[in-house]
Coordinates of all heavy atoms in Angstrom, one line a residue:
M1 N -5.5 82.9 105.0 CA -4.2 82.4 105.1 C -3.9 80.9 104.8 O -3.1 80.5 104.0 CB -3.7 82.7 106.6 CG -2.2 82.5 106.9 SD -1.2 83.6 105.9 CE 0.4 82.9 106.3
L2 N -4.8 80.1 105.5 CA -4.7 78.6 105.2 C -5.0 78.3 103.8 O -4.4 77.4 103.2 CB -5.5 77.9 106.3 CG -5.3 76.4 106.4 CD1 -3.9 76.1 107.0 CD2 -6.4 75.8 107.3
R3 N -6.1 79.0 103.4 CA -6.5 78.8 102.0 C -5.4 79.1 100.9 O -5.2 78.3 100.1 CB -7.7 79.7 101.7 CG -9.0 79.1 101.8 CD -10.0 80.0 101.3 NE -11.4 79.4 101.4 CZ -12.5 80.2 100.9 NH1 -12.4 81.3 100.5 NH2 -13.7 79.6 101.0
N4 N -4.6 80.2 101.3 CA -3.6 80.5 100.4 C -2.5 79.5 100.3 O -1.9 79.1 99.4 CB -2.9 81.9 100.7 CG -3.8 83.0 100.3 OD1 -4.7 82.9 99.4 ND2 -3.7 84.1 101.0
L5 N -2.1 78.9 101.6 CA -1.2 77.9 101.7 C -1.6 76.7 101.0 O -0.8 76.0 100.1 CB -1.0 77.5 103.2 CG 0.2 78.1 103.8 CD1 0.2 77.8 105.4 CD2 1.5 77.5 103.2
L6 N -2.9 76.2 101.1 CA -3.4 75.1 100.4 C -3.3 75.3 98.8 O -3.0 74.4 98.2 CB -4.8 74.8 100.7 CG -5.0 74.1 102.2 CD1 -6.4 74.0 102.6 CD2 -4.4 72.7 102.1
R7 N -3.6 76.5 98.4 CA -3.6 76.8 97.1 C -2.2 76.7 96.5 O -1.9 76.2 95.4 CB -4.1 78.2 96.9 CG -4.4 78.5 95.3 CD -4.8 79.9 95.2 NE -6.3 80.0 95.5 CZ -7.0 81.2 95.4 NH1 -6.3 82.3 95.1 NH2 -8.2 81.3 95.7
L8 N -1.2 77.2 97.3 CA 0.2 77.1 96.9 C 0.7 75.6 96.8 O 1.3 75.3 95.9 CB 1.0 77.8 98.1 CG 2.3 78.5 97.6 CD1 1.9 79.8 96.7 CD2 3.1 79.0 98.7
V9 N 0.3 74.8 97.8 CA 0.6 73.4 97.8 C 0.0 72.7 96.5 O 0.8 71.9 95.9 CB 0.2 72.7 99.1 CG1 0.3 71.3 98.9 CG2 1.0 73.2 100.4
A10 N -1.2 73.1 96.3 CA -1.9 72.4 95.1 C -1.1 72.8 93.9 O -1.0 71.9 93.0 CB -3.3 73.0 95.1
I11 N -0.7 74.1 93.7 CA 0.1 74.5 92.6 C 1.3 73.7 92.4 O 1.6 73.2 91.3 CB 0.3 76.0 92.6 CG1 -1.0 76.8 92.5 CG2 1.4 76.5 91.6 CD1 -0.9 78.3 92.8
F12 N 2.1 73.5 93.5 CA 3.3 72.8 93.5 C 3.0 71.3 93.0 O 3.8 70.7 92.3 CB 4.0 72.8 94.8 CG 4.8 74.0 95.0 CD1 4.6 75.0 96.1 CD2 5.9 74.3 94.2 CE1 5.3 76.1 96.3 CE2 6.7 75.4 94.4 CZ 6.4 76.3 95.4
V13 N 1.9 70.7 93.6 CA 1.7 69.4 93.2 C 1.4 69.3 91.7 O 1.8 68.4 91.1 CB 0.4 68.9 94.0 CG1 -0.1 67.5 93.5 CG2 0.9 68.7 95.5
V14 N 0.6 70.3 91.2 CA 0.2 70.2 89.8 C 1.5 70.4 89.0 O 1.7 69.7 88.0 CB -0.9 71.4 89.5 CG1 -1.0 71.6 88.0 CG2 -2.2 71.0 90.2
I15 N 2.4 71.3 89.4 CA 3.6 71.5 88.6 C 4.4 70.2 88.7 O 5.1 69.8 87.6 CB 4.4 72.7 89.3 CG1 3.7 74.0 88.9 CG2 5.9 72.7 88.8 CD1 4.3 75.2 89.7
A16 N 4.5 69.5 89.8 CA 5.3 68.4 89.9 C 4.8 67.3 88.9 O 5.5 66.6 88.3 CB 5.3 67.8 91.3
I17 N 3.4 67.1 88.9 CA 2.8 66.1 88.1 C 3.1 66.4 86.6 O 3.4 65.5 85.8 CB 1.3 66.1 88.3 CG1 1.1 65.4 89.7 CG2 0.5 65.3 87.3 CD1 -0.4 65.6 90.3
V18 N 3.0 67.8 86.3 CA 3.2 68.1 84.9 C 4.6 67.8 84.5 O 4.8 67.4 83.4 CB 2.8 69.6 84.7 CG1 3.3 70.3 83.4 CG2 1.3 69.8 84.9
R19 N 5.5 68.2 85.4 CA 6.9 67.9 85.1 C 7.2 66.4 84.8 O 8.0 66.1 83.8 CB 7.9 68.5 86.2 CG 8.0 70.0 86.1 CD 8.9 70.4 87.2 NE 10.3 70.1 87.1 CZ 11.2 70.5 87.9 NH1 11.0 71.2 88.9 NH2 12.5 70.2 87.6
V20 N 6.6 65.6 85.6 CA 6.7 64.1 85.4 C 6.2 63.7 84.1 O 6.8 63.0 83.3 CB 6.2 63.4 86.7 CG1 6.0 61.8 86.3 CG2 6.9 63.6 87.9
V21 N 5.0 64.2 83.9 CA 4.3 63.7 82.6 C 5.1 64.2 81.4 O 5.4 63.5 80.4 CB 2.9 64.3 82.5 CG1 2.2 64.1 81.2 CG2 2.0 63.6 83.7
V22 N 5.6 65.5 81.4 CA 6.4 66.1 80.3 C 7.6 65.3 80.1 O 8.1 65.0 79.0 CB 6.6 67.5 80.5 CG1 7.7 68.1 79.6 CG2 5.3 68.4 80.4
G23 N 8.3 65.0 81.3 CA 9.5 64.1 81.2 C 9.3 62.8 80.6 O 10.1 62.5 79.7
M24 N 8.2 62.3 80.9 CA 7.9 60.9 80.3 C 7.7 61.1 78.8 O 8.2 60.2 77.9 CB 6.7 60.3 80.9 CG 7.0 59.7 82.3 SD 5.5 59.2 83.2 CE 4.8 57.9 82.1
I25 N 7.0 62.1 78.4 CA 6.7 62.4 76.9 C 8.0 62.6 76.2 O 8.3 62.1 75.2 CB 5.7 63.5 76.7 CG1 4.3 63.0 77.3 CG2 5.6 63.8 75.3 CD1 3.3 64.2 77.4
V26 N 8.9 63.5 76.7 CA 10.2 63.8 76.2 C 11.0 62.5 76.1 O 11.6 62.3 74.9 CB 10.9 64.9 77.0 CG1 12.3 65.0 76.6 CG2 10.1 66.2 76.9
N27 N 11.0 61.7 77.1 CA 11.9 60.5 77.0 C 11.4 59.6 76.0 O 12.1 58.9 75.2 CB 11.9 59.8 78.4 CG 12.8 60.4 79.4 OD1 13.8 61.1 78.9 ND2 12.6 60.3 80.6
F28 N 10.0 59.5 75.8 CA 9.4 58.7 74.9 C 9.8 59.1 73.5 O 10.3 58.3 72.6 CB 7.9 58.8 74.9 CG 7.1 57.9 73.9 CD1 7.1 56.6 74.0 CD2 6.4 58.7 72.9 CE1 6.5 55.8 73.0 CE2 5.7 57.8 71.9 CZ 5.8 56.4 72.0
F29 N 9.8 60.4 73.2 CA 10.1 60.9 71.8 C 11.7 60.8 71.6 O 12.1 60.6 70.5 CB 9.6 62.3 71.6 CG 8.3 62.4 71.3 CD1 7.2 62.8 72.2 CD2 7.8 61.9 70.1 CE1 5.9 62.8 71.9 CE2 6.4 61.9 69.7 CZ 5.5 62.4 70.6
K30 N 12.5 60.9 72.7 CA 13.9 60.8 72.5 C 14.2 59.3 72.2 O 15.0 59.1 71.3 CB 14.6 61.1 73.9 CG 15.1 62.5 74.0 CD 15.9 62.6 75.3 CE 16.3 64.1 75.6 NZ 16.9 64.2 76.9
G31 N 13.6 58.4 72.7 CA 13.7 57.0 72.5 C 13.4 56.7 71.0 O 14.0 56.0 70.3
L32 N 12.3 57.3 70.5 CA 11.9 57.2 69.1 C 13.0 57.7 68.2 O 13.3 57.0 67.2 CB 10.5 57.8 68.8 CG 9.3 57.1 69.3 CD1 8.0 57.9 69.0 CD2 9.3 55.8 68.8
S33 N 13.5 58.8 68.4 CA 14.5 59.5 67.6 C 15.9 59.0 67.6 O 16.6 58.9 66.6 CB 14.5 61.0 67.9 OG 14.9 61.2 69.1
T34 N 16.3 58.3 68.8 CA 17.7 57.8 68.8 C 17.7 56.5 68.2 O 18.9 56.1 67.8 CB 18.1 57.8 70.3 OG1 17.1 57.2 71.2 CG2 18.5 59.1 70.9
A35 N 16.7 55.7 68.2 CA 16.8 54.4 67.6 C 17.3 54.3 66.2 O 18.3 53.6 66.1 CB 15.4 53.7 67.8
P36 N 16.7 55.0 65.3 CA 17.3 54.9 64.0 C 18.7 55.7 63.9 O 19.5 55.3 63.1 CB 16.3 55.7 63.1 CG 15.5 56.5 64.0 CD 15.5 55.8 65.4
G37 N 18.9 56.7 64.8 CA 20.1 57.5 64.7 C 21.4 56.6 65.1 O 22.4 56.7 64.6
E38 N 21.1 55.7 66.1 CA 22.1 54.8 66.5 C 22.6 53.8 65.4 O 23.7 53.5 65.4 CB 21.7 54.0 67.8 CG 21.8 54.9 69.1 CD 21.2 54.1 70.2 OE1 20.3 53.2 70.1 OE2 21.6 54.5 71.4
R39 N 21.6 53.5 64.6 CA 21.9 52.5 63.5 C 22.8 53.2 62.5 O 23.6 52.6 61.8 CB 20.6 52.1 62.9 CG 20.0 50.8 63.5 CD 18.9 50.3 62.8 NE 17.8 50.3 63.8 CZ 16.5 50.6 63.5 NH1 16.2 51.2 62.4 NH2 15.6 50.5 64.3
E40 N 22.6 54.6 62.2 CA 23.3 55.3 61.2 C 24.7 55.7 61.7 O 25.6 55.8 61.0 CB 22.6 56.5 60.9 CG 21.4 56.2 59.9 CD 20.4 57.4 59.7 OE1 21.1 58.5 59.7 OE2 19.3 57.2 59.4
S41 N 24.9 55.9 63.0 CA 26.2 56.5 63.5 C 27.4 55.7 63.2 O 28.4 56.3 62.9 CB 26.1 56.9 64.9 OG 25.7 55.7 65.7
P42 N 27.4 54.4 63.3 CA 28.7 53.6 63.0 C 29.1 53.8 61.6 O 30.2 53.9 61.3 CB 28.4 52.2 63.4 CG 27.0 52.2 64.0 CD 26.4 53.5 63.7
A43 N 28.1 53.7 60.7 CA 28.4 53.9 59.3 C 28.9 55.2 59.0 O 29.8 55.4 58.2 CB 27.2 53.5 58.5
A44 N 28.4 56.2 59.6 CA 28.7 57.6 59.4 C 30.2 57.9 59.8 O 30.8 58.7 59.3 CB 27.8 58.5 60.0
S45 N 30.6 57.1 60.7 CA 32.0 57.3 61.2 C 33.1 56.6 60.4 O 34.2 56.8 60.8 CB 32.1 56.8 62.7 OG 31.9 55.5 62.7
T46 N 32.7 56.0 59.3 CA 33.7 55.3 58.6 C 34.7 56.3 57.9 O 35.8 56.0 57.5 CB 33.1 54.4 57.5 OG1 32.1 55.1 56.8 CG2 32.5 53.1 58.1
G47 N 34.2 57.5 57.6 CA 35.0 58.5 57.0 C 34.2 59.5 56.2 O 33.1 59.2 55.8
P48 N 34.7 60.7 56.1 CA 34.0 61.7 55.3 C 34.1 61.6 53.8 O 35.1 61.2 53.3 CB 34.8 63.1 55.7 CG 36.2 62.6 56.1 CD 36.0 61.2 56.7
G49 N 33.0 61.7 53.1 CA 33.0 61.7 51.7 C 33.0 60.3 51.1 O 33.3 60.1 49.9
V50 N 32.8 59.3 52.0 CA 32.8 57.9 51.5 C 31.4 57.4 51.4 O 30.7 57.4 52.4 CB 33.6 56.9 52.4 CG1 33.6 55.5 52.0 CG2 35.0 57.5 52.5
P51 N 30.9 57.1 50.1 CA 29.6 56.5 50.0 C 29.3 55.2 50.7 O 30.1 54.4 50.6 CB 29.4 56.4 48.5 CG 30.5 57.1 47.8 CD 31.6 57.1 48.9
L52 N 28.3 55.2 51.5 CA 28.1 53.9 52.3 C 27.7 52.7 51.5 O 28.1 51.6 51.8 CB 27.0 54.2 53.2 CG 27.2 55.4 54.3 CD1 25.9 55.6 55.1 CD2 28.4 55.1 55.2
S53 N 27.0 52.9 50.3 CA 26.5 51.9 49.5 C 27.7 51.2 48.7 O 27.6 50.0 48.4 CB 25.5 52.4 48.5 OG 26.1 53.4 47.7
A54 N 28.8 51.9 48.6 CA 29.9 51.3 47.8 C 30.8 50.3 48.7 O 31.7 49.7 48.2 CB 30.8 52.4 47.3
G55 N 30.5 50.3 49.9 CA 31.3 49.4 50.9 C 32.6 50.1 51.2 O 32.7 51.4 51.1
L56 N 33.6 49.4 51.6 CA 34.9 49.9 52.0 C 35.6 50.5 50.8 O 36.0 49.7 49.9 CB 35.7 49.0 52.8 CG 37.0 49.5 53.4 CD1 36.8 50.6 54.4 CD2 37.8 48.3 54.0
L57 N 36.0 51.8 50.7 CA 36.7 52.2 49.6 C 38.2 52.3 50.0 O 38.6 52.8 51.0 CB 36.3 53.6 49.2 CG 34.9 53.6 48.5 CD1 34.5 55.1 48.2 CD2 34.9 52.7 47.3
V58 N 39.1 52.0 49.1 CA 40.5 52.1 49.3 C 41.1 52.8 48.1 O 40.6 52.8 47.0 CB 41.3 50.7 49.5 CG1 40.9 50.1 50.7 CG2 40.8 49.8 48.3
K59 N 42.3 53.4 48.3 CA 42.9 54.2 47.2 C 43.9 53.4 46.4 O 44.6 52.6 46.9 CB 43.7 55.4 47.9 CG 44.0 56.4 46.9 CD 44.7 57.6 47.7 CE 44.9 58.8 46.8 NZ 45.6 59.9 47.5
D60 N 43.6 53.5 45.1 CA 44.5 52.9 44.2 C 45.9 53.7 44.3 O 46.0 54.8 44.0 CB 43.9 53.1 42.7 CG 44.8 52.4 41.6 OD1 46.0 52.4 41.8 OD2 44.2 52.0 40.6
P61 N 46.9 52.9 44.7 CA 48.3 53.6 44.9 C 48.9 54.2 43.7 O 49.8 54.9 43.7 CB 49.0 52.5 45.6 CG 48.5 51.2 45.2 CD 47.0 51.5 44.9
V62 N 48.4 53.7 42.5 CA 49.1 54.1 41.1 C 48.4 55.4 40.7 O 49.1 56.5 40.5 CB 48.9 53.0 40.1 CG1 49.5 53.5 38.8 CG2 49.7 51.7 40.6
C63 N 47.0 55.4 40.5 CA 46.4 56.5 40.0 C 45.7 57.4 40.9 O 45.2 58.5 40.7 CB 45.5 56.2 38.8 SG 44.0 55.3 39.3
G64 N 45.6 56.9 42.2 CA 44.9 57.6 43.2 C 43.3 57.6 43.3 O 42.6 58.2 44.0
T65 N 42.8 56.8 42.4 CA 41.3 56.6 42.3 C 40.8 55.7 43.6 O 41.6 54.8 43.9 CB 41.0 55.8 41.0 OG1 41.4 56.7 39.9 CG2 39.4 55.7 40.9
F66 N 39.7 56.0 44.1 CA 39.2 55.3 45.2 C 38.4 54.1 44.5 O 37.5 54.4 43.8 CB 38.3 56.1 46.1 CG 39.2 57.0 47.1 CD1 39.5 58.2 46.7 CD2 39.6 56.3 48.3 CE1 40.3 58.9 47.6 CE2 40.4 57.1 49.1 CZ 40.7 58.3 48.9
V67 N 38.7 52.9 45.0 CA 38.1 51.7 44.4 C 37.4 51.0 45.6 O 37.9 51.0 46.7 CB 39.1 50.9 43.6 CG1 39.4 51.4 42.4 CG2 40.2 50.5 44.5
S68 N 36.3 50.3 45.3 CA 35.6 49.4 46.2 C 36.4 48.2 46.5 O 36.9 47.6 45.5 CB 34.2 49.2 45.8 OG 33.6 48.1 46.7
V69 N 36.5 47.7 47.7 CA 37.3 46.5 48.0 C 36.7 45.3 47.2 O 37.4 44.5 46.7 CB 37.3 46.3 49.6 CG1 38.0 44.9 49.9 CG2 38.3 47.4 50.2
G70 N 35.4 45.4 47.2 CA 34.7 44.2 46.6 C 34.9 44.1 45.1 O 34.9 43.0 44.6
T71 N 35.1 45.2 44.4 CA 35.2 45.1 42.9 C 36.6 45.5 42.4 O 36.8 45.3 41.2 CB 34.3 46.2 42.3 OG1 34.6 47.5 42.9 CG2 32.8 45.9 42.6
S72 N 37.6 45.7 43.3 CA 38.9 46.1 42.8 C 39.7 44.9 42.4 O 39.4 43.7 42.9 CB 39.6 47.0 43.9 OG 39.8 46.1 45.0
L73 N 40.8 45.1 41.7 CA 41.8 44.1 41.5 C 42.7 44.2 42.7 O 43.2 45.2 43.0 CB 42.5 44.5 40.2 CG 41.8 44.1 38.9 CD1 42.3 44.8 37.8 CD2 41.6 42.6 38.6
Q74 N 43.0 43.0 43.2 CA 43.9 43.1 44.4 C 45.3 42.3 44.1 O 45.4 41.5 43.3 CB 43.2 42.3 45.5 CG 41.9 43.0 46.0 CD 41.2 42.2 47.0 OE1 41.8 41.3 47.8 NE2 39.9 42.5 47.1
K75 N 46.2 42.9 44.8 CA 47.6 42.3 44.7 C 48.2 42.4 46.1 O 48.2 43.4 46.7 CB 48.4 43.1 43.7 CG 49.7 42.4 43.4 CD 50.6 43.2 42.5 CE 52.0 42.7 42.3 NZ 52.0 41.2 42.0
S76 N 48.8 41.2 46.6 CA 49.5 41.3 47.8 C 51.0 41.4 47.6 O 51.6 40.7 46.8 CB 49.3 39.9 48.6 OG 47.9 39.9 49.0
V77 N 51.6 42.4 48.2 CA 53.0 42.7 48.1 C 53.6 42.7 49.6 O 53.2 43.4 50.3 CB 53.3 43.9 47.4 CG1 54.9 44.2 47.3 CG2 52.7 44.0 46.1
E78 N 54.5 41.7 49.8 CA 55.1 41.6 51.1 C 54.1 41.5 52.3 O 54.3 42.3 53.3 CB 56.1 42.7 51.3 CG 57.4 42.5 50.4 CD 58.2 43.7 50.3 OE1 58.0 44.7 51.1 OE2 59.1 43.8 49.4
G79 N 53.0 40.8 52.1 CA 52.0 40.6 53.1 C 51.0 41.7 53.2 O 50.0 41.7 53.9
E80 N 51.2 42.8 52.3 CA 50.2 44.0 52.3 C 49.3 43.8 51.1 O 49.9 43.6 50.0 CB 50.9 45.2 52.4 CG 50.0 46.4 52.8 CD 50.8 47.6 52.9 OE1 52.0 47.7 52.9 OE2 50.1 48.7 52.9
T81 N 48.0 44.0 51.2 CA 47.1 44.0 50.1 C 46.9 45.2 49.5 O 46.5 46.1 50.2 CB 45.8 43.2 50.4 OG1 46.2 41.9 50.9 CG2 45.0 43.0 49.2
F82 N 47.1 45.5 48.2 CA 46.8 46.7 47.6 C 45.7 46.5 46.6 O 45.5 45.4 46.1 CB 48.1 47.1 46.7 CG 49.2 47.5 47.6 CD1 50.2 46.5 47.9 CD2 49.4 48.7 48.2 CE1 51.2 46.8 48.8 CE2 50.4 49.0 49.0 CZ 51.4 48.1 49.3
H83 N 44.9 47.5 46.4 CA 43.7 47.5 45.6 C 43.9 48.4 44.3 O 44.3 49.6 44.5 CB 42.4 47.8 46.3 CG 42.2 46.9 47.5 ND1 41.4 45.8 47.3 CD2 42.8 46.9 48.7 CE1 41.5 45.1 48.6 NE2 42.3 45.8 49.5
F84 N 43.5 47.9 43.1 CA 43.7 48.7 41.9 C 42.4 48.8 41.1 O 41.5 47.9 41.1 CB 44.8 48.1 41.1 CG 46.1 47.9 41.8 CD1 46.4 46.7 42.5 CD2 47.0 49.0 41.9 CE1 47.5 46.6 43.2 CE2 48.2 48.8 42.6 CZ 48.5 47.6 43.2
C85 N 42.3 49.9 40.4 CA 41.1 50.1 39.6 C 41.1 49.3 38.3 O 40.2 49.0 37.7 CB 40.9 51.6 39.2 SG 42.2 52.2 38.1
S86 N 42.3 49.0 37.8 CA 42.4 48.2 36.5 C 43.7 47.4 36.6 O 44.6 47.6 37.3 CB 42.5 49.2 35.4 OG 43.6 49.9 35.5
A87 N 43.8 46.5 35.6 CA 45.1 45.6 35.5 C 46.2 46.5 35.1 O 47.3 46.1 35.5 CB 44.8 44.5 34.4
A88 N 46.0 47.5 34.3 CA 47.1 48.4 34.0 C 47.6 49.0 35.3 O 49.0 49.1 35.3 CB 46.6 49.5 33.0
C89 N 46.9 49.4 36.1 CA 47.4 50.1 37.4 C 48.2 49.0 38.1 O 49.2 49.3 38.7 CB 46.3 50.7 38.2 SG 45.7 52.3 37.6
R90 N 47.6 47.8 38.2 CA 48.2 46.7 38.9 C 49.6 46.5 38.4 O 50.6 46.3 39.1 CB 47.3 45.5 38.9 CG 47.8 44.4 39.8 CD 47.0 43.1 39.6 NE 47.0 42.7 38.2 CZ 46.3 41.8 37.6 NH1 45.3 41.3 38.3 NH2 46.4 41.5 36.3
D91 N 49.7 46.5 37.1 CA 51.0 46.2 36.4 C 52.0 47.2 36.6 O 53.1 47.1 36.9 CB 50.8 45.9 35.0 CG 50.0 44.6 34.7 OD1 49.8 43.8 35.6 OD2 49.5 44.5 33.5
K92 N 51.4 48.4 36.6 CA 52.4 49.6 36.9 C 52.9 49.5 38.3 O 54.1 49.9 38.5 CB 51.5 51.0 36.8 CG 51.5 51.5 35.3 CD 50.8 52.8 35.3 CE 50.3 53.3 34.0 NZ 49.5 54.5 34.1
F93 N 52.1 49.1 39.3 CA 52.5 49.1 40.6 C 53.6 48.1 40.8 O 54.5 48.2 41.6 CB 51.3 48.8 41.5 CG 51.6 48.8 43.0 CD1 51.8 50.0 43.6 CD2 51.7 47.7 43.7 CE1 52.1 50.2 44.9 CE2 52.0 47.7 45.2 CZ 52.1 49.1 45.7
K94 N 53.5 47.0 40.1 CA 54.5 45.9 40.0 C 55.9 46.5 39.8 O 56.8 46.2 40.4 CB 54.1 44.8 39.1 CG 54.8 43.5 39.2 CD 54.2 42.6 38.2 CE 55.0 41.3 38.0 NZ 54.6 40.5 36.8
G95 N 55.8 47.4 38.8 CA 57.1 48.0 38.5 C 57.6 48.9 39.6 O 58.8 49.0 39.8
K96 N 56.8 49.6 40.2 CA 57.1 50.5 41.3 C 57.8 49.8 42.4 O 58.8 50.3 43.0 CB 55.9 51.3 41.9 CG 55.6 52.5 41.1 CD 54.4 53.3 41.8 CE 54.2 54.5 41.1 NZ 53.1 55.3 41.7
V97 N 57.2 48.6 42.7 CA 57.8 47.9 43.9 C 59.2 47.6 43.6 O 60.1 47.5 44.6 CB 56.9 46.6 44.2 CG1 57.6 45.6 45.0 CG2 55.6 47.0 44.7
Q98 N 59.5 47.3 42.3 CA 60.9 46.9 42.0 C 61.9 48.1 42.0 O 63.1 48.0 41.8 CB 61.0 46.3 40.6 CG 60.4 44.9 40.5 CD 60.0 44.4 39.1 OE1 60.1 45.3 38.2 NE2 59.6 43.2 38.9
G99 N 61.5 49.2 42.4 CA 62.4 50.3 42.7 C 62.3 51.4 41.5 O 63.2 52.2 41.4
E100 N 61.3 51.3 40.7 CA 61.2 52.4 39.5 C 60.9 53.8 40.2 O 60.0 53.8 41.1 CB 60.1 51.9 38.6 CG 60.5 52.1 37.2 CD 59.3 51.5 36.3 OE1 58.3 52.1 36.4 OE2 59.5 50.5 35.6
P101 N 61.5 54.8 39.7 CA 61.2 56.2 40.3 C 59.8 56.6 39.8 O 59.3 56.0 38.7 CB 62.2 57.1 39.6 CG 62.7 56.3 38.4 CD 62.6 54.9 38.7
R102 N 59.1 57.5 40.5 CA 57.7 57.8 40.3 C 57.7 58.6 39.0 O 58.4 59.5 38.8 CB 57.2 58.7 41.4 CG 56.2 57.9 42.3 CD 55.6 58.7 43.4 NE 54.2 59.1 43.0 CZ 53.4 59.7 43.8 NH1 53.8 59.8 45.1 NH2 52.2 60.0 43.5
A103 N 56.7 58.3 38.2 CA 56.5 58.9 36.9 C 56.0 60.2 37.1 O 55.0 60.5 37.8 CB 55.5 58.1 36.0
Ligands
ZN201 ZN1 44.2 53.0 38.9

């Protein structure tokens, strides 16, 4: 009777130790896997379908092409900055602002 009790206690102690050790191992691997993931998550949240290497992409309001802010032609109209893929688009937009109907 007492032997069985001791055996039961021993089993519980072993289970408790195993759980603690497994928990430590799981937390260790969780820490390894979340570190690079945290670095990627802010960039991934910038938007669907936007290549990260191209920087911030904005839509050319004239032709609808997405252009990189760094490489686009920019024009400020009434305090708002617009980005264009080419000088032709930029010039067309100038006309639109003056009230030209959409082509
Ligand atoms: Zn364009």
Side-chain angles (χ1 to χ4, degrees):
M1 186 64 189
L2 193 69
R3 262 190 177 180
N4 285 339
L5 259 174
L6 282 173
R7 192 181 281 179
L8 213 68
V9 169
I11 288 167
F12 276 119
V13 168
V14 169
I15 288 171
I17 290 168
V18 168
R19 282 179 73 175
V20 168
V21 170
V22 168
M24 282 169 69
I25 292 167
V26 167
N27 281 336
F28 176 73
F29 281 108
K30 265 189 187 171
L32 282 181
S33 61
T34 49
E38 278 173 334
R39 271 181 237 138
E40 282 171 29
S41 57
S45 64
T46 47
V50 178
L52 301 172
S53 57
L56 182 64
L57 289 181
V58 288
K59 199 174 182 180
D60 181 328
V62 176
C63 67
T65 303
F66 281 92
V67 291
S68 172
V69 167
T71 57
S72 66
L73 287 162
Q74 296 177 21
K75 184 178 175 59
S76 288
V77 179
E78 290 167 13
E80 200 178 342
T81 303
F82 296 92
H83 300 266
F84 304 93
C85 67
S86 65
C89 281
R90 188 187 58 192
D91 293 344
K92 274 186 198 169
F93 187 71
K94 198 176 163 186
K96 273 189 179 178
V97 166
Q98 288 166 352
E100 227 176 60
R102 257 185 102 163

